[in-house]
Amino acid sequence: MRFARDTLAQRVLFASGAAAENLVAEIKELGASRVMVIAGDAERELARRVAAHLPVAHWHHEVAMHVPVEVAERARNQAATHQVDALVCVGGGSTTGLAKAVALTTGLPIVAVPTTYAGSEATNVWGLTEEARKTTGTDPRVLPRTIVYDATLMLTLPVGLSVASGLNALAHCVDSMWAPRADPIDQALAGEGIRALRIGLPLVAAEPDGLHGREHALYGAYLSAVAFASAGSGLHHKICHVLGGMFDLPHAQTHAVVLPHVLAFNAPNAPDAERRIATAFDADSATGGLTRLRAQLNAPRALRDYGMPESGIARAAEAVLAAVPPGNPSRVTLDNITGLLRAAWEGAEPR
Ligand code: NAD
């Protein structure tokens, strides 16, 4: 066994019902006295509640998916105008992404309070969109100093979104088994992440108000993001990045649809990963485990349901082919990636 690994330095507080008090402690620890709270319109009330006892200099509610540069620019201007010294983001990956965009140019510390299972809070990856083109990069300044996890904040996330977002987290785990920098630590984290999500998500779907399922899913989502941050993007993430950018598809649902196709494609040539994933699912095979979970969750099935045109399959296949990560277990050709995308587009069984 031989590997080199960078572990990202970050504090994580995980406690249901304690977001407000943990936030106060973390902002005090940072010595901040002028906080900018970032939360989308829909999470405005949630944010007011958890940040009620902070020294807030500015409440910022303009959030948009994939962080358009003009939205980032306005948030940066507000941060300067109000002379803020720390950022608190309350929301999903889009909200965390905006805080990261501000931190990227200002160096302001972020305390992240996630309300989906997207996992951006545990990575040093930023993303910005300009004229329909999304650029991503890594920078230590965008890694939140602290994550405040509170599973009670997920109770309002509708089941459909919870399922899609949870499968997005599961995709981080699966891709972390074979992504370019995947190491044994990532694989161990990913295996435990799959186990936690496999337990948590059906509970969330069956009983959305129950905390037990929400906590399991959130714990699994955190593990998935730590693994992903270290392992990098595998084939699955490259495909979703291409699809999301070309057709403006919703992030979590795209991941949820594509995942079983990539797993079925790579598993035959990745026996170790296949065993680990199957074990984590407590199933005879990795694909069998995912199929069973997806059926329990009534998971999203077809890209055409989310707006991808059939005519886009060929264009997307070319772009994916150009972005295949090194070391992918199965050899990718224009022919087989076109077949994979077609199956995902029409919602066929993974081959
Ligand atoms: P999102 O943040 O856009 O949220 C989806 C929807 O859920 C929104 O309408 C939001 O208002 C709603 N919502 C969020 N929390 C809620 C709650 N608790 N109750 C009710 N509704 C709630 O979507 P997402 O899937 O969390 O994030 C997607 C974005 O994150 C994409 O832009 C993606 O590229 C990015 N992302 C980045 C990384 C990274 O490492 N940089 C990792 C994962 C995702």
Side-chain angles (χ1 to χ4, degrees), residues 16 61 76 103 107 130 137 140 146 170 191 212 223 243 256 298 309 329-330 335:
S16 296
H61 297 301
R76 288 165 178 162
E130 187 164 23
T146 303
L170 199 79
H212 189 56
L223 295 177
L243 295 174
N298 192 20
S330 296
D335 208 33

Side-chain angles (χ1 to χ4, degrees), residues 6 10 175 259 328 338:
D6 292 306
Q10 186 176 54
D175 234 13
L259 180 62
N328 189 63
T338 302

Side-chain angles (χ1 to χ4, degrees), residues 42-43 46 65-66 92-95 100 115-116 118-120 123 125-126 134 153-154 156-158 161 168 172 228 251-252:
E43 281 70 60
L46 203 67
M65 186 116 127
H66 302 313
S94 301
T95 309
K100 285 178 163 184
T115 64
T116 70
S120 175
T123 83
V125 180
W126 55 266
K134 186 163 182 178
L153 306 181
M154 330 295 284
T156 48
L157 193 65
L161 255 177
N168 181 190
H172 291 143
F228 172 61
H251 180 82

